[in-house]
Amino acid sequence: MPDAGPDRATARKAIALLTGAAGFTEHRPPPSPLPPDGPLGWAGYDAARERASARTGEEESVLYGTGVVGDRACVLLSFEFGFLGGSLGRQTGDRLAAAYELALARRLPLVALVATGGSRMQEGMIALTQLQRVAAASVRLRAAGLPQIAVVRDPTTGGGWATVGAGADVVLALPGAQVGFAGSRVRPPDADPYAYSAEGQFEAGQVDAVVPADELTAAVTHWLRALGPHEDLPAAPVPRALPVAGAPVPRALSAGGTESAAGAGTGAGAGTGAGAAKGSGAGTGPGAGTPSAADSGPAVPLPETGREAVARARDPRRPRAEAYLADYFAVRLPLHGDRSGSTDPGLLCGFGLRGDGQPVAYVAQCGTPTRPAGYRAAARTIRLADRLGVPVLTLVDTPGAANDAGAERAGAGAAIADTFAAVAAARVPVTTLVIGEGGSGGALALAAPDNTHVTVDSYFSVIAPELAAAILKRPPSETGATADQLRLRPQDLVDLGFARSIVG
């Protein structure tokens, strides 16, 4: 096993970094002694354990207990890399299983501070099967709707990474940490070391964020607030409309045709009614929750033609997902990647905290063709939110799913199908705002049935009017007429029963 480097934090220092003065109460499982020199009778194993204990002051490679991070109680487990390389043996498995069971019994989230070289060879298959114990304990915690956060330290490799680390709901990594299934002594000699780093794993979509140590407490606190556990959270309020650059703040038009402050419609409009938030409407951010002076200005006119609706949705001055998310949330916590080795920068996923502290999960398209990795990340986010009881907000804005050969090879159809399934199966309320282009099934996959709203500068169509005209063998001059036939304007979408309200 590798030795603990002089700059590696001990298990207790890693816990103290998060809990600070709030402290930590250690727990221990019932005693379960090993036979002499372990289950394999490995000569010198007992002596190696005694030296590791004398060097670190620990009885095993993991310690666990309860603590408070920020203002949130949780169960913490921390690996001591100085104890036989943080390796997993049977007694390590006892402690890991007990930590998960403690979280389950007290209905607390679990935060794992991981630094391990993998399974302990001196215990052979008995050590390896501890990974199955950890996986089973993790599944029980998931089934109970309790979140798991992993902070991967240097190094995190082998079975510890493949269970406690990568198996968590949210994976944070310390900068420069070695992270990967293959440890440094067992990987190919010509392997790119960057692929086994925190930064490389982030780039590949396997890590959600690389967080400096001095920012870790704040990051974990925010994640604990967002992930819960929660009970009976209201639906995500419909975001308020944002103006095109230089235009006045728009007002909302409900399905009944009455005007109200943006994001605070009535009847079937935004903010009230079935599937909408209880007593809420406007987003957070500067002035959020109360109408600004601009809210009393004239309503933005609706597009008169289908061609105009498409042109407004494609206007580069139109506000995009980043602007809506910044206005809606006080704190955003991105989830990164599809956990299959890919990312899509054109789709933003994560959890956020609004100004009143309400957690909401979000999936937001950024106006580009959405790639398979984006749909997989979206499905991951929606399912996590559903399991934890957190409402979901989706922002739709894409000309359609990516249709290049690479997207097909990456499983575009299956990824879109899985996103449809995640939305359909969600037990938590899903709220959708179409903020730009609604391009066919690639956009519809993220739209909430019966709770979709649209902005005045958006459209939604079974197919882009240019493509429809081409399929119908019409000249380009008839594209506008084709757009009108498709009835893709915001007001058409309300009339057709697809959208509940027009925001702005």
Side-chain angles (χ1 to χ4, degrees):
M1 298 293 175
D3 292 329
D7 297 327
R8 290 193 178 108
T10 66
R12 294 183 188 276
K13 285 182 179 179
I15 289 174
L17 178 66
L18 292 184
T19 61
F24 168 71
T25 302
E26 185 175 357
H27 289 241
R28 286 181 171 84
S32 180
L34 293 171
D37 278 332
L40 304 185
W42 189 288
Y45 179 44
D46 285 349
R49 286 179 55 87
E50 290 172 3
R51 289 193 299 271
S53 182
R55 183 169 59 249
T56 63
E58 304 296 346
E59 300 171 352
E60 248 301 339
S61 59
V62 163
L63 59 98
Y64 74 99
T66 55
V68 176
V69 179
D71 57 355
R72 296 285 160 161
C74 60
V75 170
L76 295 118
L77 69 86
S78 186
F79 281 75
E80 176 53 67
F81 191 78
F83 193 102
L84 299 179
S87 57
L88 282 74
R90 200 212 68 198
Q91 290 185 333
T92 321
D94 292 345
R95 289 171 175 243
L96 290 171
Y100 283 88
E101 291 303 316
L102 179 62
L104 185 62
R106 299 199 180 184
R107 289 205 56 78
L108 292 173
L110 184 137
V111 178
L113 308 173
V114 191
T116 174
S119 298
R120 192 171 298 169
M121 71 180 76
Q122 295 94 330
E123 294 190 24
M125 285 301 300
I126 300 300
L128 190 63
T129 57
Q130 302 311 305
L131 305 182
Q132 295 173 321
R133 292 182 69 188
V134 173
S138 176
V139 166
R140 288 192 291 272
L141 213 56
R142 286 172 178 268
L146 296 169
Q148 301 170 48
I149 299 171
V151 177
V152 292
R153 300 147 54 207
D154 182 47
T156 297
T157 62
W161 163 238
T163 51
V164 185
D169 298 317
V170 175
V171 181
L172 309 178
L174 292 177
Q178 179 188 166
V179 182
F181 186 64
S184 59
R185 298 184 185 180
V186 297
R187 66 183 66 141
D190 58 348
D192 179 9
Y194 183 73
Y196 304 86
S197 68
E199 291 76 12
Q201 295 285 8
F202 173 80
E203 189 175 300
Q206 307 291 357
V207 163
D208 293 305
V210 179
V211 184
D214 59 356
E215 299 175 14
L216 192 59
T217 301
V220 173
T221 299
H222 286 317
W223 273 113
L224 289 171
R225 290 172 180 166
L227 299 181
H230 304 291
E231 293 183 5
D232 300 323
L233 290 175
V238 179
R240 61 182 178 183
L242 299 180
V244 173
V249 175
R251 297 170 67 81
L253 185 69
S254 74
T258 58
E259 291 184 4
S260 60
T266 58
T272 63
K278 302 173 184 176
S280 57
T284 62
T290 57
S292 68
D295 286 332
S296 60
V300 175
L302 292 168
E304 295 184 2
T305 66
R307 182 190 292 274
E308 181 187 351
V310 173
R312 285 168 65 167
R314 294 174 180 174
D315 189 333
R317 298 172 300 168
R318 172 181 59 77
R320 307 288 165 148
E322 273 287 356
Y324 277 96
L325 294 174
D327 184 70
Y328 193 80
F329 289 113
V331 175
R332 264 193 291 161
L333 303 163
L335 290 172
H336 184 72
D338 65 353
R339 292 300 187 265
S340 296
S342 299
T343 62
D344 180 0
L347 188 131
L348 306 175
C349 295
F351 284 65
L353 298 169
R354 289 174 52 77
D356 61 1
Q358 180 186 351
V360 174
Y362 64 87
V363 176
Q365 293 170 314
C366 299
T368 58
T370 303
R371 304 201 63 78
Y375 290 112
R376 286 191 288 266
R380 172 197 169 205
T381 301
I382 293 165
R383 288 195 173 103
L384 175 59
D386 187 52
R387 178 160 53 81
L388 299 179
V390 177
V392 177
L393 169 71
T394 66
L395 300 179
V396 170
D397 183 12
T398 180
N403 58 5
D404 56 274
E408 290 297 334
R409 284 193 292 267
I416 295 169
D418 196 41
T419 305
F420 270 116
V423 173
R427 297 159 297 180
V428 296
V430 180
T431 302
T432 297
L433 180 63
V434 185
I435 63 173
E437 294 194 77
S440 195
L444 189 67
L446 289 174
D450 303 321
N451 196 24
T452 289
H453 308 261
V454 293
T455 64
V456 294
D457 43 15
S458 69
Y459 79 88
F460 218 119
S461 178
V462 65
I463 189 172
E466 298 89 348
L467 298 178
I471 291 172
L472 296 171
K473 299 181 180 180
R474 294 176 177 177
S477 60
E478 295 187 24
T479 298
T482 304
D484 290 336
Q485 281 186 292
L486 288 168
R487 297 197 65 192
L488 48 71
R489 301 172 302 167
Q491 59 268 45
D492 296 325
L493 299 173
V494 173
D495 290 343
L496 292 168
F498 171 73
R500 292 184 60 188
S501 76
I502 301 171
V503 178

